[in-house]
Amino acid sequence: MFPDYRLRQREHLLQISRAMTSRLDLPSLLRLILENAVEILSGQAGLIVLRREDGSLYPRASYGLPVQAIHLLEPLWRDLPATADRRQWQIPDLSIRLRLASAAAGIALRQVVALPMMIQDEVTGVIYSFRSRGVDFTTNDRQVLADFADQAAITVQNAHLYQQVDEERDRLNAIIENSGDGVMILDADRTIRTWNRALTGMTGVLPVDAIGRHCYDVLDLRNQQGVSVCHTACPLVNPPADGRLYVEGDTQRADGVKVSLADNYSPAYDEDGNITNVVANVRDVSLLRDAEEVKNTLLSIISHELKTPVSIIKGYAGTLSRRDADWDEETLADGLAVIEEEADRLNKLINNLLDASRLQAGGLELQFAYLDLPSMAEKAVEGVRTQSDQHSFSLDFPPDFPPVRGDYERIREVLSNLLGNAIKYSPDGGLIRVGGRVKDSEVVMVVSDEGVGIPTSEQERIFDRFSRVDSSLSRQTPGAGLGLFLVKAVIEAHGGRVWVESRPGQGSTFNFTLPIGTKTLEA
Ligand code: ADP
């Protein structure tokens, strides 16, 4: 038969274990242990001191003691060794220490029993139970308190472990959250569990809209053929042999911008070889893709746009210079005119390519002067009039059209590019109008034609570098898709805007503005 207090002790310890598994916080757990220990030992007060990392001890939980007096009990834990043999452990001069402490704190504490809280040989703290009246503590009492001391030691150790795990988790979360790469962690179902800030930046999808959903619903990467790669290639469908899977594809952000992402999936397996998590490392490779596209386009321009005029020039020059042929004047003049025309075209293309690369390097310098736009427009029209007898031209400026400050050569190029396009893209001829008007503090210049027009969906894109509308006419018409890109860059460098109004089949009107006055330009 258990003696009565043993039974009660068992109940108390059970209650404490239950509280421990339900993960109460450390101060409440220690207080619960202390309360139970003091009660079962028929004491009036109790104290738990814990060891800090630097080895010093400090009071962590108390029972039945006035809060303001606790630190005055310090003689009780002064200079206690950090390691000990549990069986021989005792506080030297404990009764003297008690007397000192109770006098300092002004509390009548008559008897004390103290036991170490030990993890292996290390004393992590001490538990005290006090009586202010009644008989001395017995060996039995010491034994009872030893059990509570063990409980308290385990509780503190658990709390430290929990804290370590918490800290480790916070550290990991911070690393993932602040990583420059996008990080997405999926569980075995391919449901998103983690979605970091960089990924939100790349995709525009907030964590709340991603976490808890299937990865292929949120990050639906499509290859160039429009096939969803995330869905078919996700490693849980086809586990990769080498443990990693690399997928590249495009996705569209909520703001409509297309981004190219590279996704590196690394599955984690449990002991039985089942996938537990998949960590996906996501990178924005749009710039790389752009650079690749530019390189390819450049190569195709060089091979097509440059090769054609060169072979025409070579062909004509070779034919005209044949010693055995006796060309009449007219044939000779026609041939030389073709050579000159093609050389001009080459020259223009090379200049455009050079300007585009200068622009990319940030070196578009403007030489400002006062410009007489109506006379510049007239000269530009004269320059192209001979190119076509199918087109008629009109100039439309009010008589008091103001001078505008700008770079003469650059604005001349703008007019020549727009006029050249107006001719190129109205193969059946028609009227080409160049005009200007004053609106508020700007002049608005217009170049319009009655040609093939531009679909609405393409009207913004045509100002991008190397961008051409895909049509049979474009395919037959020489061009590198650089003219409008340069027009836009030049006009914007002047502080103006450029846009197009057009209806397919009915013609296009290109507009650009230049600010009147000197302030904006000289700033
Ligand atoms: P390029 O003419 O060398 O192709 P541009 O940058 O000047 O390059 O023009 C880009 C594209 O915009 C052209 O390929 C053409 O499809 C379209 N475009 C430009 N101007 C016109 C116009 N006046 N009418 C119809 N389409 C045009």
Side-chain angles (χ1 to χ4, degrees):
M1 265 290 276
F2 274 135
D4 180 42
Y5 73 87
R6 276 285 182 203
L7 261 180
R8 281 198 296 134
Q9 182 191 355
R10 243 179 53 138
E11 270 164 30
H12 284 293
L13 289 175
L14 214 66
Q15 193 191 342
I16 292 165
S17 315
R18 275 196 213 111
M20 275 169 74
T21 47
S22 69
R23 278 204 65 188
L24 278 180
D25 60 314
L26 181 65
S28 0
L29 278 173
L30 290 180
R31 207 182 135 79
L32 185 71
I33 293 170
L34 205 52
E35 249 177 62
N36 282 285
V38 170
E39 192 193 309
I40 206 162
L41 294 177
S42 307
Q44 279 76 46
L47 182 68
I48 288 178
V49 297
L50 295 185
R51 195 172 290 286
R52 292 193 184 93
E53 288 213 343
D54 66 3
S56 61
L57 290 159
Y58 71 103
R60 187 70 175 88
S62 70
Y63 173 71
L65 294 168
V67 180
Q68 68 282 8
I70 292 169
H71 69 281
L72 299 171
L73 300 174
E74 192 268 343
L76 287 169
W77 61 84
R78 189 181 297 160
D79 299 331
L80 296 185
T83 54
D85 177 342
R86 177 192 293 267
R87 280 155 302 173
Q88 281 153 27
W89 186 91
Q90 59 181 348
I91 300 179
D93 308 320
L94 185 56
S95 47
I96 300 174
R97 286 171 185 258
L98 180 66
R99 239 178 292 138
L100 276 174
S102 60
I107 320 170
L109 300 171
R110 304 267 177 257
Q111 282 92 38
V112 61
V113 57
L115 279 165
M117 292 159 47
M118 302 204 58
I119 297 291
Q120 286 157 353
D121 286 342
E122 216 181 301
V123 181
T124 57
V126 182
I127 182 166
Y128 301 82
S129 177
F130 304 101
R131 278 185 192 149
S132 48
R133 54 181 182 273
V135 293
D136 281 356
F137 287 106
T138 62
T139 321
N140 240 340
D141 291 337
R142 280 184 75 83
Q143 188 49 53
V144 171
L145 191 61
D147 291 341
F148 285 99
D150 286 346
Q151 280 288 13
I154 294 168
T155 306
V156 171
Q157 199 191 24
N158 280 354
H160 281 158
L161 288 177
Y162 282 137
Q163 193 186 345
Q164 263 172 20
V165 170
D166 273 359
E167 280 171 11
E168 201 55 31
R169 197 196 45 210
D170 288 350
R171 210 169 62 86
L172 220 83
N173 281 344
I175 292 173
I176 291 176
E177 191 54 21
N178 296 312
S179 155
D181 284 351
V183 179
M184 166 174 80
I185 302 179
L186 312 175
D187 66 13
D189 281 348
R190 278 181 284 172
T191 302
I192 298 170
R193 293 289 162 218
T194 301
W195 183 268
N196 78 344
R197 198 182 312 164
L199 206 44
T200 297
M202 285 175 206
T203 59
V205 179
L206 292 169
V208 281
D209 298 325
I211 291 170
R213 293 175 62 199
H214 275 140
C215 81
Y216 46 79
D217 287 338
V218 181
L219 198 65
D220 187 15
L221 295 185
R222 307 213 157 230
N223 67 13
Q224 306 238 300
Q225 287 71 45
V227 178
S228 166
V229 283
C230 186
H231 200 226
T232 51
C234 196
L236 303 177
V237 177
N238 297 312
D242 64 353
R244 271 167 172 256
L245 185 92
Y246 183 80
V247 170
E248 260 189 38
D250 297 330
T251 185
Q252 197 161 22
R253 282 205 317 235
D255 58 8
V257 175
K258 193 184 94 175
V259 274
S260 302
L261 299 179
D263 213 341
N264 216 330
Y265 294 98
S266 311
Y269 298 90
D270 66 12
E271 286 162 5
D272 303 325
N274 302 314
I275 287 178
T276 52
N277 280 300
V278 182
V279 180
N281 215 275
V282 188
R283 286 207 168 158
D284 187 342
V285 289
S286 309
L287 283 178
L288 253 158
R289 283 272 190 88
D290 279 357
E292 232 165 69
E293 219 173 289
V294 167
K295 198 182 77 190
N296 291 340
T297 319
L298 202 69
L299 280 177
S300 73
I301 288 170
I302 290 171
S303 60
H304 181 255
E305 297 300 320
L306 293 180
K307 253 176 106 176
T308 316
V310 169
S311 43
I312 294 176
I313 291 171
K314 190 168 164 37
Y316 270 85
T319 315
L320 294 181
S321 64
R322 269 171 58 183
R323 285 175 191 278
D324 57 342
D326 185 14
W327 304 113
D328 60 53
E329 288 254 323
E330 202 187 328
T331 317
L332 211 63
D334 283 353
L336 289 172
V338 172
I339 290 178
E340 194 183 357
E341 215 175 272
E342 292 302 316
D344 281 348
R345 189 138 76 85
L346 257 182
N347 195 26
K348 188 163 181 177
L349 185 58
I350 289 168
N351 280 340
N352 277 353
L353 281 171
L354 284 176
D355 282 348
S357 73
R358 252 180 237 136
L359 250 184
Q360 202 170 13
L364 187 74
E365 272 185 29
L366 300 178
Q367 316 268 326
F368 283 105
Y370 283 102
L371 307 181
D372 176 0
L373 288 178
S375 107
M376 286 178 73
E378 201 180 328
K379 276 194 198 143
V381 167
E382 285 319 308
V384 292
R385 205 185 279 279
T386 51
Q387 285 179 17
S388 158
D389 44 21
Q390 275 180 303
H391 296 91
S392 54
F393 296 88
S394 84
L395 287 158
D396 183 9
F397 288 92
D400 53 351
F401 198 81
V404 164
R405 263 172 70 84
D407 183 313
Y408 181 85
E409 268 311 309
R410 297 287 174 191
I411 299 296
R412 199 182 59 81
E413 271 166 26
V414 166
L415 288 171
S416 129
N417 262 318
L418 293 179
L419 271 171
N421 279 350
I423 295 172
K424 271 199 306 193
Y425 299 106
S426 47
D428 299 331
L431 176 66
I432 293 176
R433 211 173 63 85
V434 185
R437 63 179 195 280
V438 176
K439 190 167 180 278
D440 304 326
S441 56
E442 300 177 318
V443 299
V444 183
M445 293 285 291
V446 172
V447 178
S448 70
D449 62 59
E450 297 174 339
V452 293
I454 302 159
T456 318
S457 58
E458 303 280 343
Q459 287 177 10
E460 258 191 62
R461 207 177 61 84
I462 50 167
F463 293 97
D464 292 346
R465 188 176 39 183
F466 300 133
S467 172
R468 308 194 72 203
V469 176
D470 190 17
S471 68
S472 57
L473 174 63
S474 292
R475 279 190 291 274
Q476 289 159 24
T477 318
L482 280 175
L484 291 180
F485 169 70
L486 292 169
V487 164
K488 186 170 183 225
V490 167
I491 295 302
E492 287 182 352
H494 279 77
R497 290 164 288 126
V498 57
W499 70 97
V500 64
E501 288 148 4
S502 177
R503 285 237 190 120
Q506 293 184 16
S508 310
T509 304
F510 282 83
N511 307 268
F512 67 87
T513 65
L514 286 173
I516 307 176
T518 54
K519 264 195 166 159
T520 344
L521 295 172
E522 279 171 352

